[in-house]
């Protein structure tokens, strides 16, 4: 059971480039989320989804887009990369319900130069 | 909205000591709490959770205590080992739909032999 898989693990982008961070889960979880982690800031929510076809914004959505065409996949798109988007990105999934834990991927370390 | 804070950014202990990591929350209606462990270069991993109808829950070498009166929870690790060195986060559901989690900023636990 793979759990939550993120690709790539590392990425360097130039300012203005676009790219997609991939996230896939094989646990049939309804909820999926994207977080970014910066030193001293903890995990901040970018976007989330409660099911296929449904997405919503989190705390720091600017500069990012998401879509949820299937239950398994939840890609995060950077439209025009900026140095402020240098961060570690984590995708998480959870089973629908009141008291369920989140399972995290291993993260994507993104550097924008 | 919810906010989650931790009392200490870094906790240094000797191997074999007991460790206590604290977390405060602001929303008195919060009813589910989770502790995560994040090792260097990895995604957060679930440790233990607790519901608001409990004030204590025990796992293997870990205990979570919940004090709803002062909106405080703690994670106690017994006989701390070098492998326990990591950043520890408390988390709780972010919205009424429980579809996302909000995280504290984390406490780094350093265990010296």
């Amino acid at each position: 059971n793979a759990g939550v898989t993120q690709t790539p693990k590392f990425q360097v982008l130039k300012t203005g480039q676009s790219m997609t961070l991939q996230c896939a889960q094989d646990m049939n979880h309804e909820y999926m989320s994207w977080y970014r982690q910066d030193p001293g800031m903890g995990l901040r929510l970018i976007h989330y989804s409660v099911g296929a076809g449904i997405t919503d914004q989190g705390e720091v959505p600017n500069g990012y887009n998401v879509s949820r065409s299937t239950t398994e996949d939840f890609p995060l798109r950077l439209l025009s990369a900026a140095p402020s988007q240098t961060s570690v990105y984590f995708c998480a999934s959870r089973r629908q319900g009141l008291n369920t834990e989140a399972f995290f991927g291993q993260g994507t370390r993104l550097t924008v130069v | 909205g919810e906010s989650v804070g931790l009392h200490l950014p870094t906790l240094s202990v000797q191997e074999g000591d007991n460790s206590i990591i604290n977390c405060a929350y602001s929303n008195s209606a919060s009813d589910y709490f989770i502790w995560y462990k994040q090792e260097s270069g990895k995604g957060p991993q679930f440790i233990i959770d607790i519901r608001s109808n409990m004030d204590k829950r025990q796992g293997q070498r870990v205990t979570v205590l919940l004090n709803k009166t002062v909106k405080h929870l703690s994670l106690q690790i017994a006989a701390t080992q070098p492998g326990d060195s990591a950043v520890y986060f408390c988390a709780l559901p972010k919205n009424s739909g429980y579809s996302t989690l909000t995280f504290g900023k984390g406490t780094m636990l350093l265990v010296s032999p």
Side-chain angles (χ1 to χ4, degrees):
Chain A
N1 210 354
V4 179
T5 303
Q6 289 183 238
T7 56
K9 287 187 170 52
F10 301 94
Q11 182 71 50
V12 178
L13 287 179
K14 294 183 178 179
T15 298
Q17 286 186 313
S18 62
M19 79 158 293
T20 299
L21 279 62
Q22 302 291 344
C23 176
Q25 53 96 5
D26 61 359
M27 297 172 281
N28 204 31
H29 286 170
E30 294 84 359
Y31 298 161
M32 295 186 76
S33 304
W34 275 103
Y35 294 86
R36 60 177 288 173
Q37 186 173 36
D38 303 294
M41 301 290 290
L43 289 149
R44 292 185 291 169
L45 183 66
I46 304 172
H47 286 285
Y48 66 99
S49 169
V50 298
I54 305 170
T55 64
D56 209 343
Q57 296 182 347
E59 302 169 67
V60 287
N62 293 341
Y64 307 95
N65 274 356
V66 291
S67 59
R68 186 98 180 269
S69 56
T70 66
T71 299
E72 296 78 18
D73 300 299
F74 191 43
L76 178 72
R77 296 184 188 84
L78 278 70
L79 309 171
S80 177
S84 61
Q85 294 179 303
T86 294
S87 187
V88 181
Y89 292 84
F90 289 100
C91 178
S93 75
R94 291 174 63 215
R95 181 171 44 86
Q96 183 180 8
L98 294 182
N99 303 330
T100 62
E101 69 200 77
F103 294 83
F104 283 83
Q106 291 296 296
T108 295
R109 184 174 292 275
L110 176 68
T111 301
V112 183
V113 298
Chain B
E2 300 88 350
S3 67
V4 183
L6 288 171
H7 293 292
L8 289 174
T10 304
L11 176 64
S12 296
V13 301
Q14 296 278 341
E15 181 178 0
D17 287 351
N18 295 333
S19 303
I20 300 176
I21 299 170
N22 296 305
C23 184
Y25 61 97
S26 59
N27 187 352
S28 57
S30 298
D31 59 4
Y32 179 58
F33 307 87
I34 313 168
W35 282 100
Y36 283 90
K37 173 186 181 183
Q38 186 178 24
E39 296 175 320
S40 180
K42 297 184 178 180
Q45 284 188 299
F46 172 87
I47 302 173
I48 192 169
D49 59 0
I50 189 168
R51 301 180 186 182
S52 60
N53 61 351
M54 305 169 70
D55 54 18
K56 180 179 180 180
R57 191 170 188 211
Q58 289 184 293
Q60 188 175 11
R61 283 201 304 117
V62 295
T63 301
V64 56
L65 299 177
L66 176 62
N67 185 331
K68 295 181 288 294
T69 302
V70 296
K71 293 181 283 189
H72 180 274
L73 70 159
S74 65
L75 177 71
Q76 300 180 1
I77 304 174
T80 312
Q81 302 168 359
D84 295 326
S85 293
V87 177
Y88 291 82
F89 296 94
C90 61
L92 60 160
K94 185 174 180 63
N95 52 26
S96 59
Y98 293 78
S99 54
T100 63
L101 299 175
T102 189
F103 288 81
K105 290 184 171 52
T107 291
M108 177 173 289
L109 177 64
L110 300 174
V111 183
S112 52

